[in-house]
């Protein structure tokens, strides 16, 4: 099949226990922007045991078409049944682009799909653009807008690489939750809803999900908070780190952390902000004793207002902060808690 015959942007929309994961909606909104400049359609793909009712929501975020597979084998995520179902759908659609959320599920599924479809995959993209590339040295020539330029940090965040997949289709990319922005739903939008039936090869199922046990955690989802109070290695006492929760509660926000404190065992990886943690975009981000390494900044620099407290005036965090306090962080934390009493 000729490369030019592949068309449209397919978005794999992850659902867990019947709940659409936000990253799927973020990717539909991003796909809509790419579709607009390249005259393509957005096709949302959803797999599960009862998923048809989700179609309306996916259309309201901008999907022109929803393709769904309903089957008891897809009740809980398991690699083989999901791979077989997604491959059947993609093989039938022949999309130009496939976008998948870089969640635990997406990280498992996307590489398998790229092997089955004999194409490339660019993981953890932070920017997606449609352009046609001719020549790879220094010139990017825009002609018919059908190549996806996939930009992502590389070499530990020290370089930014833009990757293209000119010779194979589909062009595949994963994007972490929170990187792309979700726009408002519009319930007046219309779209087509199509069911695909899959003949599963159950002999290949190696794993059976017997039970799902949810991890118990009191921590709030940091990607959902309007105010985040984050701490780094500059917080030298564990009790001071615990005080960040008091401050966060008073501000009706959540607590985040740099990898520094996760490595020290003070903070859970679930609240780590950055390249190997989560991407957050709160209205206000407090950075207490965080140096602002590029890998941390990658996960929070899009925040509305960044307030940094650091005793080193040359700390890189001040390059992206809107408000900076060059001082010891302890009196600031205590002072804010007292002031908010
Ligand atoms: C591949 C890779 C992925 C990574 N992913 C991530 C990631 O996802 N998230 C992440 O955060 N990091 C990540 N890192 C690590 C990152 O490079 C930094 O090492 C880390 O962010 C540093 O954490 P920190 O800012 O808490 O500590 P430090 O860099 O040690 O900074 C501590 C800061 O506190 C200040 N300070 C000290 N005492 C006080 C005081 N009393 N009052 C005020 N300020 C004070 C210091 O001046 C300093 O700026 C990654 C690294 C690699 C190589």
């Amino acid at each position: 099949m000729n490369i030019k015959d592949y068309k449209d942007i397919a978005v794999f929309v992850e659902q867990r226990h019947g709940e659409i994961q936000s990253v799927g909606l973020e990717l539909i909104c991003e796909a809509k922007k790419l579709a607009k400049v390249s005259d393509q359609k957005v096709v949302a793909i959803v797999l599960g045991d009862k998923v048809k009712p989700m179609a309306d929501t996916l259309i309201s975020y901008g999907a022109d078409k929803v393709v769904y597979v309903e089957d008891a084998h897809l009740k809980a995520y398991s690699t083989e049944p999901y791979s077989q179902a997604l491959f059947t759908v993609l093989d039938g659609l022949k999309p130009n682009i496939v976008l998948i959320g870089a969640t635990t599920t997406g990280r498992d599924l996307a590489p398998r799909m790229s092997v089955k479809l004999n194409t490339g995959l660019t993981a953890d993209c932070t920017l997606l653009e449609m352009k046609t590339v001719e020549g790879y040295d220094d010139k990017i020539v825009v002609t018919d807008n059908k190549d996806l330029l996939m930009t992502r940090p590389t070499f530990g965040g020290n370089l930014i690489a833009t990757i293209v997949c000119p010779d194979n289709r589909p062009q595949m990319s994963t994007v972490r939750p929170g990187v792309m922005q979700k726009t408002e739903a519009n319930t007046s939008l219309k779209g087509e809803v199509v069911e695909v039936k899959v003949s599963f090869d159950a002999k290949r199922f190696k794993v059976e999900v017997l039970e799902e046990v949810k991890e118990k955690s009191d921590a709030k989802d940091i990607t959902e908070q309007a105010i985040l109070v984050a701490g780094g290695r500059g917080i030298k006492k564990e009790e001071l780190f615990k005080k960040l929760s008091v401050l966060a509660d008073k501000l009706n926000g959540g607590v985040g952390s740099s990898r520094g404190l996760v490595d020290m065992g003070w903070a859970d990886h679930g609240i780590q902000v950055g390249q190997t943690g989560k991407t957050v975009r709160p209205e206000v981000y407090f950075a207490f004793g965080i140096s602002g390494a590029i890998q941390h900044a990658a996960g929070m620099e899009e925040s509305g207002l960044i307030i940094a407290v650091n005793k080193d005036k040359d700390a890189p965090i001040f390059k992206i902060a809107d408000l900076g306090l060059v001082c010891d962080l302890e009196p600031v934390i205590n002072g804010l808690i007292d002031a908010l009493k």
Side-chain angles (χ1 to χ4, degrees):
M1 195 168 146
N2 194 303
I3 275 192
K4 286 200 181 313
D5 297 330
Y6 288 80
K7 59 178 178 27
D8 300 333
I9 306 177
V11 176
F12 170 70
V13 178
E14 186 179 334
Q15 58 81 24
R16 279 185 225 152
H17 305 288
E19 212 176 294
I20 298 170
Q21 299 302 294
S22 186
V23 65
L25 303 177
E26 290 159 17
L27 290 181
I28 290 177
C29 297
E30 182 63 20
K32 197 77 199 158
K33 284 194 240 158
L34 299 170
K36 225 182 210 165
V37 295
S38 56
D39 192 24
Q40 299 186 87
K41 290 202 160 47
V42 177
V43 183
I45 302 168
V46 60
L47 315 175
D49 63 336
K50 289 186 192 83
V51 290
K52 191 181 176 194
M54 293 171 198
D56 287 347
T57 307
L58 305 181
I59 291 168
S60 73
Y61 278 90
D64 299 293
K65 180 170 165 182
V66 175
V67 176
Y68 71 94
V69 181
E70 277 186 349
D71 195 286
H73 292 307
L74 303 170
K75 187 166 191 258
Y77 179 76
S78 184
T79 307
E80 191 57 35
Y82 267 70
S83 300
Q84 289 186 19
L86 187 57
F87 176 72
T88 305
V89 174
L90 292 175
D91 196 41
L93 284 176
K94 304 273 188 280
N96 181 27
I97 293 172
V98 178
L99 303 181
I100 297 181
T103 59
T104 339
T105 297
R107 285 174 198 274
D108 185 47
L109 205 48
R112 281 164 209 277
M113 279 310 106
S114 81
V115 171
K116 275 175 175 271
L117 294 163
N118 192 28
T119 188
L121 167 71
T122 308
D124 290 348
C125 293
T126 51
L127 177 71
L128 298 171
E129 296 166 286
M130 293 298 308
K131 288 180 182 169
T132 285
V133 177
E134 289 174 7
Y136 299 100
D137 299 334
D138 54 2
K139 52 176 192 254
I140 291 176
V141 183
V142 182
T143 50
D144 65 1
N145 280 354
K146 286 282 159 57
D147 282 331
L148 183 66
L149 268 61
M150 302 171 272
T151 300
R152 54 152 297 152
T154 186
F155 289 108
N158 293 310
L159 276 182
I160 299 292
T162 297
I163 295 161
V164 281
C165 175
D167 301 325
N168 294 68
R169 290 293 184 265
Q171 305 165 91
M172 287 189 66
S173 164
T174 65
V175 179
R176 290 171 12 157
V179 171
M180 301 303 175
Q181 244 169 334
K182 187 167 73 183
T183 48
E184 291 288 304
N186 176 354
T187 48
S188 66
L189 290 174
K190 299 266 171 285
E192 193 189 344
V193 181
V194 177
E195 180 176 17
V196 170
K197 290 278 179 207
V198 175
S199 331
F200 288 96
D201 178 2
K203 286 197 299 298
R204 295 179 64 95
F205 296 173
K206 303 274 189 303
V207 174
E208 190 186 346
V209 179
L210 299 178
E211 189 190 0
E212 283 184 84
V213 182
K214 263 198 156 183
E215 188 187 5
K216 285 200 187 99
S217 166
D218 296 334
K220 296 177 183 170
D221 179 356
I222 59 169
T223 62
E224 303 281 333
Q225 305 303 313
I227 299 183
L228 261 191
V229 179
R233 240 180 329 229
I235 302 205
K236 303 223 176 70
K237 303 177 218 160
E238 197 167 358
E239 83 220 37
L240 198 53
F241 179 61
K242 289 187 180 141
K243 270 196 183 172
L244 292 190
S245 307
V246 178
L247 179 57
D249 282 348
K250 293 205 178 295
L251 293 165
N252 203 15
V255 176
S257 161
S258 72
R259 179 155 142 185
L261 292 190
V262 174
D263 289 347
M264 283 162 68
W266 290 7
D268 268 2
H269 181 256
I271 63 163
Q272 180 184 313
V273 174
Q275 194 187 320
T276 43
K278 289 187 174 150
T279 302
V280 295
R281 217 185 269 262
E283 285 164 32
V284 185
Y285 187 90
F286 286 92
F288 287 105
I290 294 178
S291 58
I294 189 162
Q295 297 88 356
H296 184 82
M300 47 66 77
E301 62 196 346
E302 298 291 326
S303 303
L305 181 79
I306 299 171
I307 303 172
V309 185
N310 195 306
K311 65 180 187 183
D312 173 9
K313 69 172 175 37
D314 296 320
I317 193 79
F318 289 128
K319 291 205 180 92
I320 53 167
D322 299 285
L323 187 66
L325 278 89
V326 182
C327 63
D328 181 20
L329 53 84
E330 187 162 1
V332 182
I333 294 172
N334 290 332
L336 279 171
I337 292 173
D338 284 346
L340 290 164
K341 259 182 193 160

